[in-house]
Each structure stands twice: as C-alpha cells, then as structure tokens.
Amino acid sequence: REKQRFSIEWAAGFLDGEGCIHIARQTYRGKRRETMRMRVYVVQNNLEVLEHFRGAVGIAAPIYKVRRTKQHNKQVYTLNFEGKKAMALIALLMPHLIRKREEAQTALTYWVEGRVGKRWGPKGMPPEIAAFRERMYFKLRNLK
C-alpha cells in the first residue's frame, strides 16, 4: 500500500470543510461560575482519516466514538483538540485557512487578550476580562 502523504494545506482544507472552532461554556457541579473552554473538533465517519490528520499535525488529541442514532449509517468519530492543543492547531493551520480564518483569528484573540490560563487569585477575574471573553464567545458564535 502506498504511504499516505500529508501537506499542511490539505490539513487546513480538511479543517475548513469538516472542522469546528468554538468556545464551549461549561458549568461544573458545585462551582459558582461557568467556565469557557477553547475547542477545535473534527467529526468524520472515517476513523483512518482522523488518525492521519492527528498524526500529521503532530498534536496529540483524543478520538471518541459518537453515539449512533437512526440518522447514522456508519459509526461517526470526533477528534477533539482543547485548550493549548486547540491553539497550537489553530496557529499551525491559520495561514492556510480560508473559510475558517476569521474564526481562527477570533479564537486567537480570545486566547491572548482574554489571558486564558492566567490564575487570577482570590479576587477572581477582572470584570473587563470577563466581559471581553464574553464578547469573543458571541463573536465566534455569530461567525458560524
């Protein structure tokens, strides 16, 4: 069998067509505030293609089986990049994205200017940072 080849342009095109860049709101039991998580995921019924994409970009990320419904003729899988791994993927592919370039730029702005990953201490996140993150959440949502 011929060795599968990879190009960064192919990966960007695959993400453009099959991927989703989004900020997920998440609430944990017992916590007062909801959190937001940066995610990039690709859903596909071909596990081999997802494994090839993951291996080629060189960023470890889990692949999960999606629960089958009556609408699925085949098993569907989702490859999920979260947090720093999502941002590494965006940084790698953004120069070659077309359809999702503005979404990728919004995600990068959210990450950098929203100071994701910073520990805010006992006083918590400043209200202006929380408001900025909220704006970026809605901007990204509206780009869909």
Side-chain angles (χ1 to χ4, degrees), residues 19-23 99-100 103 139-144:
C20 179
I21 299 171
H22 93 131
I23 299 167
R99 184 169 173 252
K100 294 203 180 329
E103 291 177 36
K139 180 177 181 180
L140 190 55
R141 205 171 101 174
N142 290 335
L143 288 171
K144 304 290 178 199

Side-chain angles (χ1 to χ4, degrees), residues 61-110:
I63 297 175
Y64 300 105
K65 284 184 176 181
V66 174
R67 186 186 313 254
R68 286 183 79 163
T69 66
K70 291 178 184 174
Q71 290 80 23
H72 295 139
N73 291 329
K74 292 182 172 183
Q75 178 64 56
V76 176
Y77 303 90
T78 178
L79 169 58
N80 298 352
F81 297 88
E82 293 200 21
K84 289 179 182 177
K85 291 178 180 185
M87 292 315 303
L89 183 67
I90 287 170
L92 178 67
L93 300 181
M94 189 157 51
H96 306 285
L97 293 173
I98 297 168
R99 184 169 173 252
K100 294 203 180 329
R101 181 173 289 165
E102 191 174 356
E103 291 177 36
Q105 185 59 58
T106 301
L108 184 62
T109 301
Y110 163 83

Side-chain angles (χ1 to χ4, degrees), residues 1-41:
R1 185 170 138 171
E2 185 182 326
K3 184 180 186 298
Q4 294 175 330
R5 288 186 283 150
F6 172 79
S7 76
I8 204 76
E9 295 84 3
W10 172 83
F14 188 68
L15 184 65
D16 258 342
E18 302 292 331
C20 179
I21 299 171
H22 93 131
I23 299 167
R25 288 183 170 214
Q26 201 162 21
T27 307
Y28 296 99
R29 263 186 242 147
K31 297 258 183 169
R32 289 176 293 170
R33 296 188 191 113
E34 71 178 10
T35 60
M36 294 186 186
R37 300 175 61 103
M38 175 56 56
R39 290 190 173 147
V40 177
Y41 60 90

